[in-house]
Amino acid sequence: MSLLGIDLGTTGIKCVVYNEDGKVLGKTYREYKLYMPEKGIAELEQKKVLDCLFKNIKELNSFEQVKLDPIEALSISVSGDEVMPVDKSGSPLYNTIMSMDSRGYEENDWINSIIGQENIYKITGQPPSNLYPLNKIIWFKNNRPDIFSKTYKFLCWEEFIFQQFGTDKIGKIFGPVMTILFTFIGALGIWALKDNWSVLEAINPYYAYKMLVAEPGNFYLLGAIFLCTTGA
């Protein structure tokens, strides 16, 4: 088994394959350019990144050492807290706004004014900054409502890349599968209740509270009960 490491940077993407002993079996690198039409604007087109990534992987898979020890897992490091809006199909609606892009300063000031810089630091452990995605998301809402209204979700690079390898398809079937599972569990539970309806008394949250008060360590037991009842 070999492992693929992907390093997605601001001006290029590098891919390296290692075996289980840490030996490098192959590496590839391709460059792309940021879109910087004016001062303060820094964007990156997703298609350029994907083209370079897929070419890197295709080239790696042509290496003899990689053929003998195929890739079975991957990990990715990305350039920063960039953000991109996508539609329901996962297709980008706008270029990725990079962390060094200056848009969002006004939104950052607004966030600080309603929450407070000290509170933000206490909550997140990070100083308020224009580097983070939230400012850019609010910028889209305020300045590009045409894009914001069509956006299904905002992704960072790592989610977008993993989506290209099929995680979106897994996500689409997860909801229906879990619905069937919980329906089945519920039906079995109702069928079992017919012999002793007094079991419903256990739903009363008083019993959970009493258990926790009697012994604080029972918190873990309560967690285990929830895991069992949800099928997790």
Side-chain angles (χ1 to χ4, degrees):
M1 179 183 76
S2 63
L3 311 170
L4 170 63
I6 301 171
D7 181 17
L8 193 161
T10 56
T11 58
I13 187 165
K14 178 171 62 177
C15 297
V16 184
V17 178
Y18 302 87
N19 67 12
E20 291 182 277
D21 297 322
K23 178 185 176 182
V24 175
L25 303 182
K27 56 184 176 180
T28 53
Y29 175 78
R30 282 178 169 81
E31 292 186 348
Y32 38 72
K33 291 184 179 180
L34 289 172
Y35 176 64
M36 305 177 71
E38 58 184 88
K39 184 178 179 180
I41 303 296
E43 299 176 359
L44 188 52
E45 184 183 348
Q46 296 87 359
K47 185 178 183 301
K48 291 181 179 179
V49 176
L50 290 180
D51 285 346
C52 289
L53 172 61
F54 293 148
K55 287 178 181 177
N56 278 354
I57 294 175
K58 184 176 181 180
E59 183 179 348
L60 283 171
N61 282 323
S62 69
F63 293 174
E64 194 61 34
Q65 285 187 301
V66 177
K67 287 181 180 179
L68 296 173
D69 193 0
I71 298 167
E72 294 190 19
L74 65 87
S75 181
I76 184 168
S77 169
V78 297
S79 56
D81 293 317
E82 282 100 26
V83 63
M84 70 180 80
V86 299
D87 60 19
K88 286 190 175 182
S89 69
S91 300
L93 297 170
Y94 194 86
N95 288 342
T96 299
I97 296 183
M98 305 300 281
S99 57
M100 72 281 290
D101 190 290
S102 64
R103 286 170 288 184
Y105 276 108
E106 292 182 6
E107 287 72 20
N108 187 51
D109 291 340
W110 176 75
I111 294 171
N112 290 335
S113 69
I114 62 174
I115 301 178
Q117 295 187 18
E118 290 188 9
N119 284 334
I120 293 174
Y121 182 77
K122 288 178 180 177
I123 295 169
T124 66
Q126 300 288 343
S129 172
N130 192 52
L131 292 174
Y132 306 124
L134 179 59
N135 308 338
K136 307 296 194 298
I137 292 173
I138 299 174
W139 180 89
F140 273 109
K141 184 174 186 285
N142 293 340
N143 297 274
R144 291 301 304 268
D146 56 322
I147 299 294
F148 190 85
S149 62
K150 298 175 184 176
T151 300
Y152 177 63
K153 63 178 69 173
F154 288 91
L155 301 179
C156 292
W157 275 115
E158 56 269 34
E159 292 93 2
F160 180 71
I161 296 299
F162 281 127
Q163 181 178 277
Q164 309 309 307
F165 293 100
T167 57
D168 60 323
K169 296 179 177 62
I170 295 174
K172 287 176 181 177
I173 67 171
F174 183 78
V177 168
M178 293 307 294
T179 299
I180 294 171
L181 172 62
F182 288 133
T183 300
F184 179 71
I185 293 173
L188 287 178
I190 293 172
W191 179 77
L193 281 173
K194 63 182 176 56
D195 296 325
N196 189 356
W197 290 99
S198 64
V199 173
L200 291 175
E201 294 177 5
I203 297 176
N204 191 330
Y206 167 76
Y207 294 109
Y209 170 76
K210 185 178 179 180
M211 186 174 71
L212 291 175
V213 171
E215 178 56 58
N218 284 339
F219 174 82
Y220 300 102
L221 176 60
L222 185 62
I225 291 171
F226 279 118
L227 288 175
C228 290
T229 54
T230 58

